[in-house]
Amino acid sequence: MSTASTAPVPVSRVHHWAAEADVLVAGNGCAGASASIEAVAAGAEVLVVDAAGGWGGATAMSGGEIYLGGGTSVQKACGFEDSVDAMYAFLKLATGPDPAEDKLAVYCEGSLEHFDWLVRCGVTFVPKLWTNPSWEAPTGYGLMYTGGENAYPFADLVPPAPRGHIVDMEGKQPGERSAGWMLMKHLAATQERAGVEVRYNTRTERLVVDGERVVGAEVVSFGERYFVRAWRGVVLAAGGFAANPAMLAQHAPKLAAPGNFLVGTDNDDGRGIRMGQAVGAAVRHMEAGQSAFPADPALLFRSLLLNGRGHRFINEDTYPGRVGQTTLFQQDRKAFLLYDEATNEEASRQAEHVVQPTWVSDDLGELAKEMGIAPEVLAATVATYNAGAARGEDPECHKAARWLRPLVPPYGVLDLRDGPYGVFTIGGLHTSTRGEVLGLEGDPLPGLFAAGRTTSGIPSWGYCSGTSLGDSTFFGRRAGRAVATA
Amino acid sequence: MSTASTAPVPVSRVHHWAAEADVLVAGNGCAGASASIEAVAAGAEVLVVDAAGGWGGATAMSGGEIYLGGGTSVQKACGFEDSVDAMYAFLKLATGPDPAEDKLAVYCEGSLEHFDWLVRCGVTFVPKLWTNPSWEAPTGYGLMYTGGENAYPFADLVPPAPRGHIVDMEGKQPGERSAGWMLMKHLAATQERAGVEVRYNTRTERLVVDGERVVGAEVVSFGERYFVRAWRGVVLAAGGFAANPAMLAQHAPKLAAPGNFLVGTDNDDGRGIRMGQAVGAAVRHMEAGQSAFPADPALLFRSLLLNGRGHRFINEDTYPGRVGQTTLFQQDRKAFLLYDEATNEEASRQAEHVVQPTWVSDDLGELAKEMGIAPEVLAATVATYNAGAARGEDPECHKAARWLRPLVPPYGVLDLRDGPYGVFTIGGLHTSTRGEVLGLEGDPLPGLFAAGRTTSGIPSWGYCSGTSLGDSTFFGRRAGRAVATA
């Protein structure tokens, strides 16, 4: 991780431009790739650099879910109606506080066009719905709920539709790793066809400024530093900051709790964000992050999720990332799953990873002692749950009836207080809907654009699977179009 | 509130310096005043400017509590032992996650010296302990617990001592408003004796930079703009950003929930923070804030505090600001107080403001319906509490025995879901223990210093009453000494 200064270089100190292009894109994950493809389509000559040895960044490690809606062909083929309004209403509720209303509006309005663009890039989605609780769908399924749309409270507020579109893995070759990798493969192929020059093992270190305007950058490749002139502008698409311990401590210490692990690459060191800040960019919601709940959803949905005092605090059948965020940020990461043998067997048949409970007992009092909670509280929690479940209701947390069944001894408890939560950051540079980086007073910084997790985007605070890839590709494209005509 | 650009002015564009000093201090609250006093003591000529018509800022509106310890004469006179180690251990626990360990170390080590300095400035503290639950002590009391030191969980972890030192109000004149106002009166008098020039109605708009070095600022007074040369450096002590809706939305939307009110002045518009960011400063924990729980502590301590699902979530007898932060940040501001007639009468005899319950009933089920929570949960919560209280225990939240008594009908419920919480921001510029403003890579920015709520300080995330005035005066002094010899 580079800790070299991100202070910008005045153009007067640049004596030689070793490369030039209309547009320089820093980072070749899905945001940078999308930006480069659209910038070329808008007539610009584009150079992309990436610190890694190849394309992909965190995208290539992801599950390849893209949050799309408003009535895609996949949604229709699976029998779902959806609308721009419903999509917007849901995301506004699910991504706050302070949802990015301006971005949500153009994102939902443009979702069908974006779906078509992805298909033109070679991405395919199998029109088949996956409904079992899990983080990802198996090969052969292209649609799933990824935000708790069909669970309390959202299902009562907005007509639910599944919007997690999963990039198809059919035709996967040996060594090809995930649906996110597959998305990148298609984008990189499209990028190559478009004639974009990409230089790998090339890290963007500092921006070059002419007065207030960004006119290029200093890059480093195998120890060699050189300046790249960007006639129209620079797009920062260099990922988040989950791999930067100092930035995590400063902004999002809960994400850095011991045992949590980074979902991303070592290049997610926040350098893109700091380069923007160094020329006066504003940031948004730097404390925010996605945190995957550390248990298989197949078990989570069927269990009682308890906090450190033995209380339930969320319906277990909502999006497991929402459960993870709530547990990490609101319950000090103190979580237990309580279940019984039948639950364990049923969940295990479907679970991706079968786990053993930390403690097993017929006696709730004994379990309460192990958990360090008041036995009368645990008894009351189970009694309330069981009484409701017997009549098909969850008066406390409103889990859907299909997941309810009174628990009977022996009980198992899975201790999740040490996580680990898989985390990544979602705060970053403040940008306009055109991908312009905005300054401290909200005005665009001339010549500077950004996309992906270098920015704060659609997942403003609350997260749904697919909103990061969706935001990165959608607003990456917009940044590419904007910089090409800047 | 000024929304003019905070982008720095290159010194080449300054054709006339209308004023000059060794040190320019922006803001004359307790941080700026302390900085100016110490800078003069270190031999510097100092000019202080403040956007308001007089001294004080948010300090003058505060309760005048200063967090001091390690065995002050006031603590000793009240019969308490304290140590630097205990003070440090407590603050490290209470102000995290990510407590400012470097600042805590020098703060605790220097606390006795700082007490003496305040006394030399004319501040007096009555050596008498106030123990009733309340936000502030009445005149005639100079010491109280202000961080939950003597409550769960801290009392079991660190030897408790009261450290909230309250500035004495004896000799108060008509028009003098609060203990915080009294603190400022003494600091302003000391500042005047030291020969500090202060210009009011003078807002600092932008910094002036010579390359990377801050060499002055542009100020505005009644529409007239002029440049002030600062030979040694500038100290930003211009308050937090609770009066800036855009910054609250970007960083701390929960503080901006409808009905919450700002504790501070209209000049807490974050301009000091943005001027620092505009020259490359890092920020820390911009999402953090103090939020006063919206009920009288006299009632809170004796009641059951319930969340939106009818569960208790914190011992009601800890510091009410801690309760407020927890409710606002972890419980989505959903809070009810449940109590009975005897509690209400007892609390009312001591309460600063007697309030009527929102609902009264003999029937918990009826109250649960009004509260929108499951009746079986409310019944279990009360049953658990009453059973414990009958034997002098609180197995669930560990409230101290003196506040426990089984509740009997009729019950009253106070609905606090709409707050209002009195809030201020505690995130801000990242500074060293010497008050140097630190850049994005952690290196000091030449010529730039900051103190008070323009910075992230001792109350890094968790807050205790008195830590803000304590941090502002202590690190204000250090900034003043550092800039004077820069």
Side-chain angles (χ1 to χ4, degrees), chain A residues 108-468:
Chain A
C108 296
E109 192 66 52
S111 188
L112 291 181
E113 187 278 334
H114 191 53
F115 178 93
D116 292 342
W117 180 84
L118 288 164
V119 169
R120 286 203 303 279
C121 288
V123 177
T124 55
F125 305 98
V126 179
K128 197 167 174 192
L129 182 74
W130 175 251
T131 57
N132 285 351
S134 53
W135 283 108
E136 299 173 8
T139 301
Y141 293 83
L143 188 65
M144 64 187 287
Y145 287 98
T146 58
E149 297 84 348
N150 58 340
Y152 178 86
F154 305 117
D156 301 333
L157 302 170
V158 182
R163 301 189 186 95
H165 288 64
I166 307 139
V167 174
D168 185 26
M169 293 287 286
E170 287 291 341
K172 180 181 174 178
Q173 301 297 317
E176 297 183 352
R177 292 170 296 184
S178 70
W181 198 94
M182 190 64 85
L183 168 64
M184 272 310 305
K185 180 179 166 182
H186 292 304
L187 293 178
T190 305
Q191 185 182 52
E192 192 176 345
R193 283 194 302 275
V196 174
E197 181 188 354
V198 187
R199 299 187 186 181
Y200 292 108
N201 299 300
T202 303
R203 178 185 301 279
T204 308
E205 285 268 315
R206 297 188 287 172
L207 297 172
V208 177
V209 291
D210 185 356
E212 293 185 354
R213 186 172 184 88
V214 173
V215 297
E218 183 181 28
V219 302
V220 185
S221 183
F222 296 112
E224 185 201 355
R225 296 177 170 274
Y226 60 92
F227 292 103
V228 179
R229 184 77 160 98
W231 292 101
R232 294 186 180 278
V234 173
V235 181
L236 298 171
F241 62 95
N244 185 321
M247 287 181 77
L248 282 183
Q250 273 179 28
H251 303 294
K254 289 191 175 184
L255 296 181
N260 288 358
F261 62 91
L262 156 70
V263 179
T265 83
D266 287 349
N267 292 318
D268 288 316
D269 63 358
R271 194 163 188 90
I273 296 170
R274 284 177 288 134
M275 283 190 286
Q277 288 181 289
V279 297
V283 290
R284 277 179 94 90
H285 302 308
M286 292 288 279
E287 82 285 7
Q290 160 62 348
S291 61
F293 188 76
D296 196 297
L299 182 62
L300 169 64
F301 275 48
R302 295 171 169 91
S303 299
L304 265 67
L305 172 61
L306 307 178
N307 67 14
R309 285 175 301 279
H311 295 307
R312 294 174 69 208
F313 55 91
I314 193 167
N315 47 318
E316 296 86 352
D317 64 343
T318 187
Y319 168 55
R322 188 171 186 83
V323 177
Q325 278 192 320
T326 303
T327 309
L328 186 64
F329 285 101
Q330 302 198 335
Q331 301 294 339
D332 300 324
R333 216 176 67 158
K334 289 174 183 155
F336 303 97
L337 285 186
L338 173 69
Y339 48 93
D340 62 11
E341 278 198 336
T343 304
N344 196 30
E345 278 166 28
E346 194 179 355
S348 296
R349 278 197 296 276
Q350 192 215 313
E352 291 156 10
H353 307 285
V354 177
V355 294
Q356 296 305 315
T358 312
W359 305 290
V360 176
S361 176
D362 285 337
D363 181 2
L364 284 176
E366 195 174 287
L367 289 170
K369 199 173 164 189
E370 297 280 10
M371 297 159 80
I373 63 175
E376 53 269 59
V377 173
L378 185 62
T381 299
V382 174
T384 298
Y385 182 79
N386 279 355
R391 56 179 200 269
E393 288 174 12
D394 176 11
E396 186 171 358
C397 291
H398 311 285
K399 181 155 72 174
R402 63 183 288 218
W403 306 112
L404 300 172
R405 188 172 50 200
L407 299 182
V408 296
Y411 308 101
V413 171
L414 185 59
D415 181 357
L416 297 166
R417 286 174 295 180
D418 291 330
Y421 292 75
V423 301
F424 56 90
T425 61
I426 56 178
L429 297 176
H430 185 19
T431 53
S432 74
T433 59
R434 301 177 69 238
E436 302 152 312
V437 175
L438 302 176
L440 298 161
E441 270 59 58
D443 296 327
L445 301 178
L448 190 61
F449 300 78
R453 291 294 60 78
T454 300
T455 72
S456 171
I458 289 298
S460 189
W461 210 102
Y463 188 80
C464 309
S465 280
T467 53
S468 188

Side-chain angles (χ1 to χ4, degrees), chain B residues 126 130-132 134 136-142 144 166-169 352:
Chain B
V126 179
W130 174 251
T131 57
N132 284 351
S134 54
E136 299 174 8
T139 301
Y141 293 84
M144 65 187 287
I166 307 140
V167 175
D168 184 26
M169 293 287 288
E352 291 156 10

